[in-house]
Each structure stands twice: as structure tokens, then as C-alpha cells.
């Protein structure tokens, strides 16, 4: 089966809408995050080399390297979400006839849930970075495409709040309280900062239109 | 050239990131909106026919018809954004040597700007509807996939705030003050209601995780 990123947008949307559990919200969040990074890259690409923006040329080249790396990371997360979902489902299907089987199954479920928490948490971290990259694009980039930096920040914020839901779901079933608490604490910190940052970037974009 | 929706996600993201002005933020917003509708459809498809959800079966079937119609509309908006951008650019390139040419060019620019305002405003209206559809999915749908309704609402909200930026840009150059004022008034009303609605749906989803 081909990777999701190699499917057409139409086919991806059809599969998203279908009664198959995957791809689901986690993959949709990753697509939004990748769109955010791509739009920041677009602002860079339409600023670099323009005489009017010579002063920020080096900054925009450096920003482009970061946004393209982030886009690649986010694109990889489209399938990562499906993989962790399938792994969790597989562990729930493990045999549980004997005490030994039950213990092995339970351990595997807990391990899979940790991965299923870490993947959307990593997506949330990447989204927070995408918000900051869009801020630099909005501040220094070609003003003719500043609205694209505004779309970038909203796509990243939507992806972040979406990824958060997948962290919440999985954390709720994790028995390792230390892992659960530290994941939640990190997520809440990311969300708090990102909400404020998103509003700042959006208002900056609006003021430049 | 093939339609954007028929390109792979990877190719779409590559073109979004490139120094070509299209596709840009407007198309990205439409993709987010289409993802929102698709996720609401997914919740419906994973609820319909399940004995546990028999009471809401008819509602979910009716919701699915609406979300699929909305998905088709949003998918069509992916290319509509490119078309209006190209039309505006073409009018700016019209000859302006004589007074007659100047008048004709100015009239065409104004007409194109009205379309370029109406297209993202229609996207904003569709996003507001997508938010309400995600609310019904969150309220009545299979609780095992309620997080997908949460992603649906965040995708719709991101798309709405993004579409709003494209309305602001074009309205600023429109000389027909009545058209400009009524477009802005409608947009602000949509934004106000949608901000509150999005928070309500997101909190409802969180409470059901």
C-alpha cells in the first residue's frame, strides 16, 4: 500500500471520511502542520533574493532551512499516527487466557500507549515551533504574502489543539503516573504559550494587510 | 494541468512551499475545511448502524448527507482560490495607456476584487457550518471517535480565520463602500459566533475523552 502522503488530496479526504478508523484526526493534524510549515517556506521563497528585502535575506534563508525541515518532520507524522493506532489495536488483540498472557498483554498495551502519547506530543512540539516560524515570516517576510504567514499560524494552532486531544486520550489509560504527569505538564505548557503566540502572530498579520 | 485535489499531498505541499504564488493560503484553508467535513463524515460513518447508537441513527444519517455536501463544496474551493487570484492578477496586467483603457481596467479590477472577496467569504460561511456539523458529531456520535469531531472543529476554525484574512486583503481595495461594508459586517458576525462555538465544541469533546 502506498504511503498516505503519496495519495491524492481527494483520495486522502475520501479515506478520512470513510468508516475505516485510519487515517483519522491524528493524520489530519499532521497534514495541517505540514501545510503550516509549507506556507512559511512559501513566504521565505517569495522574499529571498528580492532587493527590497536584502536586509532580511540571510534570516529568511535560515528560516527556510528550518521550515523545510519541519515540513519533512510533519509529513512523516501523517503515517506515524496510523502506525501507533494500529500498534495499540494489535496489543489489545493479544491473547489473555493465562496469567502470563495477561501480564504480557498488559505490558505491551502500556508500552504502545506510551508511544501513542509520545507521537502526538512530538506533533504538538513541532506545531509550537511552526507557530514561531510563522511569526518570523510575518515579521520579516514579503508583505505582499503576509496573509500566508497568517494561514500558517492558524494551521499550526489547529494542528496543535488536535494533537493535544490524542495526547489526552492515551494518557488517560497509562498506569505509569510519572510518565502521564510529565506528558500532561509539558503539553499544558506548550498549549498555554501557543495560544498567546497564535493571537500575537494573527494580529501582526492583520495589521500588515 | 490536473486539478489540485488530484495531486498527491506531497506534491501539493511542495507547490504550496514553492515560490509560485499559487496555490497559497486560500487553497490551504479550503483543504483544512474539507478535512473538517471529512472528519465529521467519519464520525457519522462509525456511528451509523451501531446498535448502541440506534437512537441517533437517523440524525447521523442526515448529518452525513450535510457533511458530505459540505466536503464537496470545500474541495471545490481549493481551486476556486487559485482561479480568483489569477483573475485579479490578469486585470492588473490590462493596458492602461488611454483614459478609456484606464477606466476599463479599473472596472475589471473592481469586479475581480469583488469575486476575490466573495470566494473566501463563502469559504468562511462554509466553515461556520462545518463547526456546527462537528458539534452535532461531538454531541451524538460514537464516543470512541469523539476526538475526530474535536479535530474537525479545530480544522474548520483554522480554515475560517484563514479565509477571513483573504476577505480583509481584497475588501481593502474595493471602492464600492456598500459592498465592502456589508462583506465586513457579515464576516465579523461569522467570526464572533464561530469563536465561541469552537470553544464550546472543543470543551465538549475534551469532557467526553
Amino acid at each position: 500500500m502506498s504511503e498516505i502522503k503519496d495519495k491524492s488530496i481527494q483520495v486522502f479526504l475520501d479515506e478520512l471520511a470513510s468508516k475505516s478508523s485510519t487515517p483519522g484526526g491524528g493524520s489530519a493534524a499532521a497534514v495541517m502542520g505540514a501545510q503550516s510549515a509549507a506556507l512559511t517556506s512559501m513566504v521565505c521563497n517569495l522574499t529571498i533574493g528580492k532587493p527590497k528585502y536584502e536586509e532580511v535575506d540571510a534570516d529568511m534563508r535560515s528560516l527556510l532551512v528550518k521550515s523545510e525541515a519541519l515540513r519533512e518532520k510533519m509529513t512523516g507524522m501523517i503515517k506515524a499516527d496510523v502506525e501507533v493506532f494500529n500498534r495499540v489495536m494489535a496489543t489489545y488483540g493479544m491473547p489473555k487466557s493465562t496469567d502470563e498472557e495477561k501480564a504480557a498483554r498488559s505490558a505491551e498495551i502500556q508500552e504502545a500507549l506510551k508511544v501513542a502519547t509520545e507521537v502526538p506530543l512530538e506533533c504538538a512540539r513541532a506545531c509550537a515551533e511552526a507557530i514561531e516560524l510563522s511569526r518570523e515570516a510575518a515579521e520579516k517576510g514579503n508583505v505582499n504574502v503576509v496573509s500566508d504567514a497568517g494561514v500558517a499560524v492558524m494551521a499550526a494552532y489547529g494542528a496543535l489543539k488536535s494533537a493535544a486531544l490524542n495526547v489526552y486520550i492515551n494518557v488517560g489509560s497509562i498506569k505509569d503516573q510519572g510518565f502521564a504527569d510529565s506528558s500532561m505538564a509539558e503539553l499544558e505548557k506548550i498549549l498555554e504559550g501557543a495560544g498567546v503566540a497564535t493571537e500575537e502572530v494573527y494580529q501582526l498579520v492583520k495589521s500588515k494587510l
Side-chain angles (χ1 to χ4, degrees), chain A residues 33-45 47 59-74 124-142 145-146 148-154 156-157 194 197-198 200-202 204-205 208:
Chain A
Q35 287 192 91
S36 172
L39 286 163
T40 292
S41 295
M42 177 189 172
V43 175
C44 293
N45 279 319
T47 307
D59 288 350
M60 296 306 277
R61 286 176 195 272
S62 160
L63 179 59
L64 178 60
V65 172
K66 290 180 209 161
S67 59
E68 284 296 275
L70 194 62
R71 177 160 77 94
E72 196 178 337
K73 189 181 211 174
M74 296 278 205
R125 288 183 198 114
C127 290
E129 190 189 343
I131 290 169
E132 288 312 314
L133 301 189
S134 73
R135 185 201 295 273
E136 194 174 350
E139 281 172 349
K140 302 177 187 169
N142 186 336
V145 286
V146 72
D148 294 296
V151 178
V153 79
M154 291 312 305
Y157 186 66
T198 298
E200 286 170 357
V201 176
Y202 193 83
L204 172 64
V205 168
K208 288 185 151 193

Side-chain angles (χ1 to χ4, degrees), chain A residues 131 157 160 190-200:
Chain A
I131 290 169
Y157 186 66
L160 167 56
I190 291 171
L191 285 169
E192 202 178 319
V196 175
T198 298
E199 191 55 26
E200 286 170 357

Side-chain angles (χ1 to χ4, degrees), chain A residues 99-122:
Chain A
D99 283 350
E100 269 180 11
E101 281 179 355
K102 279 180 193 166
R105 177 174 174 273
S106 179
E108 284 298 318
I109 288 174
Q110 286 300 313
E111 203 47 46
L113 284 172
K114 283 186 179 179
V115 177
T117 300
E118 186 53 31
V119 165
L121 187 55
E122 180 62 21

Side-chain angles (χ1 to χ4, degrees), chain A residues 140-184:
Chain A
K140 302 177 187 169
N142 186 336
V143 73
N144 292 333
V145 286
V146 72
S147 70
D148 294 296
V151 178
V153 79
M154 291 312 305
Y157 186 66
L160 167 56
K161 295 276 281 187
S162 300
L165 295 174
N166 282 329
V167 174
Y168 296 141
I169 295 171
N170 294 303
V171 144
S173 308
I174 287 177
K175 289 173 184 163
D176 177 344
Q177 204 55 45
F179 179 92
D181 289 348
S182 75
S183 298
M184 282 299 289

